[in-house]
């Protein structure tokens, strides 16, 4: 075959065709929340707001027409993968879904760097969920197109933290001055690792409620402490619940336990019920990244302070904003 002239690989890898190259995050990877400052967060939330208004008005529109997202999931997902799909499709783009890697070349022994270099030949952006900490950073090292970390083992889940922060801002109207209590599996829960770091950019107070074996990792507490954020650990929610503005509940990540009986022993210890809610402020919210297993009783769903289903919807607008930004259209 006659070689391309000039060779394809000599061109700007980030598809310069009509893209706004001065768009914040254009062509960038989203790997960790540590890459954001408050000004950038405010910008992302403004774009997410515009996405919300557009979806409410017209449902979908053609901002990313012709762009392709590869959704590469090596771990189970309902919300993250489907909200990235709906975000891309509402913006007029399309999606290559690889959410069952057992049907892909991964089972033939293909390495992550090779898989992402394959997908970037066909797609403009890759969303990656993988069981190993650092997998998205590794993929980004090899890929020329943007990689968005959708969860790297017990490491980070930056797009979840962005939607969590957006939820707090939208529901309570502010972030500064709030007391945020995180409860459940703080050791293996990547959502709380990212959220705690992101919240440390604000003037907040952080409480951790967990059994000793699931406490917030010391290195994350040190990182947050270095920013001057007051943090305190408790084993009983009632010690801090009446003063809490945001209760962020997490599932015990049983798939991360080496010994499953240890997970069974924890079952039912940290559960939010309607009775628990009677001790909370009137103006506060309960959040959860979902899926919920037993840690919030279904009776709590009727309480207007239960924000976890609304939180999911905010995620779609955040992911629309991020895709538009990394692809140079916002
Ligand atoms: C979380 C995850 O995958 O880390 N889910 C999500 O993305 N909404 C939380 C969890 O699985 O418990």
């Amino acid at each position: 075959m006659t070689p391309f002239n000039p060779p394809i690989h000599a061109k700007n890898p980030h598809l310069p065709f009509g893209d706004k190259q001065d768009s914040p995050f254009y062509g960038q990877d989203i790997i960790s929340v540590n890459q954001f400052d408050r000004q950038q967060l405010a910008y992302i939330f403004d774009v997410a707001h515009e996405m919300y208004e557009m979806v409410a008005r017209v449902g979908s529109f053609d901002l990313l027409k012709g762009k392709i997202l590869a959704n590469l999931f090596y771990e189970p997902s309902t919300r993250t993968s489907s909200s990235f799909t709906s975000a891309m499709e509402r913006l007029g783009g399309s999606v290559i879904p690889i959410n069952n890697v057992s049907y892909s070349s991964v089972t033939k022994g293909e390495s992550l760097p090779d898989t992402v270099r394959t997908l970037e030949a066909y797609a403009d952006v890759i969303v990656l969920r993988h069981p190993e900490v650092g997998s998205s950073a590794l993929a980004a090292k090899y890929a020329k197109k943007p990689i968005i970390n959708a969860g790297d083992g017990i490491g980070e889940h930056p797009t979840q933290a962005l939607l969590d922060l957006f939820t707090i801002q939208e529901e309570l109207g502010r972030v500064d001055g709030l007391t945020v209590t995180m409860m459940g599996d703080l050791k293996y829960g990547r959502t709380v690792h990212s959220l705690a770091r992101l919240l440390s950019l604000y003037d907040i107070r952080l409480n951790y409620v967990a059994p000793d074996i699931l406490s917030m990792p010391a290195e994350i507490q040190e990182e947050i402490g270095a920013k001057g954020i007051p943090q305190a650990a408790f084993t009983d929610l009632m010690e801090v619940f009446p003063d809490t503005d945001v209760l962020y509940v997490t599932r015990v990540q049983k798939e991360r336990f080496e010994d499953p009986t240890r997970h069974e022993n924890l079952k039912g210890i940290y559960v939010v019920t309607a009775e628990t809610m009677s001790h909370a402020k009137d103006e506060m919210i309960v959040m959860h990244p979902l899926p919920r297993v037993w840690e919030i009783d279904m009776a709590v769903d009727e309480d207007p302070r239960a924000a976890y289903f609304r939180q999911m919807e905010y995620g779609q607008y955040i992911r629309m904003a991020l895709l538009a930004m990394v692809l140079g259209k916002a």
Side-chain angles (χ1 to χ4, degrees):
M1 200 169 85
T2 328
F4 289 107
N5 190 18
I8 271 189
H9 56 77
K11 291 182 189 166
N12 181 326
H14 292 137
L15 294 181
F17 317 121
D19 294 354
K20 287 189 208 158
Q21 303 204 17
D22 58 347
S23 175
F25 305 109
Y26 172 66
Q28 284 186 30
D29 306 302
I30 309 286
I31 304 296
S32 161
V33 290
N34 287 340
Q35 67 194 84
F36 302 110
D37 61 31
R38 280 183 68 149
Q39 209 187 343
Q40 290 168 327
L41 293 170
Y43 185 80
I44 297 170
F45 295 169
D46 281 350
V47 178
H49 235 290
E50 280 175 35
M51 296 299 180
Y52 161 74
E53 279 164 16
M54 288 298 282
V55 170
R57 227 178 302 140
V58 293
S60 61
F61 46 105
D62 277 349
L63 192 67
L64 295 183
K65 191 171 162 44
K67 299 284 185 185
I68 298 174
L69 158 71
N71 232 0
L72 177 60
F73 281 69
Y74 291 73
E75 280 189 346
S77 172
T78 304
R79 276 148 290 269
T80 308
S81 75
S82 54
S83 66
F84 268 112
T85 299
S86 73
M88 196 62 185
E89 293 191 352
R90 283 192 190 281
L91 292 171
S94 46
V95 181
I96 302 173
I98 305 187
N99 45 23
N100 195 338
V101 288
S102 56
Y103 292 116
S104 76
S105 286
V106 169
T107 42
K108 299 181 188 166
E110 187 169 62
S111 69
L112 181 62
D114 283 2
T115 303
V116 295
R117 283 182 290 195
T118 304
L119 289 172
E120 72 174 349
Y122 313 131
D124 303 295
V125 54
I126 299 172
V127 170
L128 173 67
R129 172 171 288 186
H130 191 281
E132 275 162 40
V133 176
S135 49
S136 284
L138 175 74
K141 199 174 136 199
Y142 287 91
K144 297 188 183 78
K145 307 266 176 77
I147 299 286
I148 300 181
N149 181 2
D152 60 329
I154 62 166
E156 282 221 35
H157 194 347
T159 68
Q160 178 73 41
L162 291 171
L163 80 87
D164 292 339
L165 188 66
F166 186 55
T167 302
I168 296 172
Q169 174 70 49
E170 292 290 304
E171 294 269 325
L172 297 175
R174 67 188 204 285
V175 180
D176 283 321
L178 298 180
T179 295
V180 178
T181 299
M182 297 179 167
M183 180 170 88
D185 186 345
L186 309 183
K187 180 175 180 188
Y188 298 114
R190 56 192 169 202
T191 66
V192 281
H193 299 167
S194 286
L195 182 59
R197 289 182 169 116
L198 201 56
L199 284 169
S200 71
L201 294 173
Y202 297 81
D203 173 22
I204 53 129
R205 177 174 290 279
L206 271 178
N207 296 320
Y208 306 128
V209 178
D212 286 344
I213 60 158
L214 295 180
S215 59
M216 184 62 89
E219 63 274 17
I220 298 180
Q221 292 197 46
E222 276 161 31
E223 219 181 297
I224 287 160
K227 304 241 183 82
I229 300 297
Q231 308 169 86
F234 303 89
T235 46
D236 180 2
L237 175 63
M238 281 311 147
E239 289 185 69
V240 287
F241 198 40
D243 296 320
T244 292
D245 300 298
V246 176
L247 176 66
Y248 193 98
V249 186
T250 62
R251 170 180 74 88
V252 174
Q253 310 275 303
K254 65 170 196 255
E255 67 277 27
R256 317 266 182 219
F257 282 62
E258 276 161 30
D259 173 3
T261 56
R262 298 197 80 177
H263 158 254
E264 283 305 309
N265 295 341
L266 291 163
K267 216 167 168 176
I269 298 179
Y270 293 98
V271 187
V272 181
T273 63
E275 199 285 321
T276 318
M277 292 304 292
S278 69
H279 302 276
K281 287 182 178 181
D282 289 339
E283 203 179 307
M284 61 84 69
I285 51 171
V286 180
M287 298 175 63
H288 191 307
L290 303 178
R292 150 180 64 186
V293 189
W294 42 255
E295 55 287 344
I296 302 179
D297 194 276
M298 276 178 78
V300 178
D301 300 355
E302 306 307 317
D303 191 310
R305 295 168 291 185
Y308 31 92
F309 294 121
R310 300 192 291 274
Q311 180 183 351
M312 241 176 358
E313 188 184 332
Y314 292 120
Q316 179 181 251
Y317 309 124
I318 285 290
R319 288 172 174 138
M320 288 173 82
L322 289 174
L323 290 172
M325 288 165 84
V326 299
L327 294 170
K329 299 292 182 192

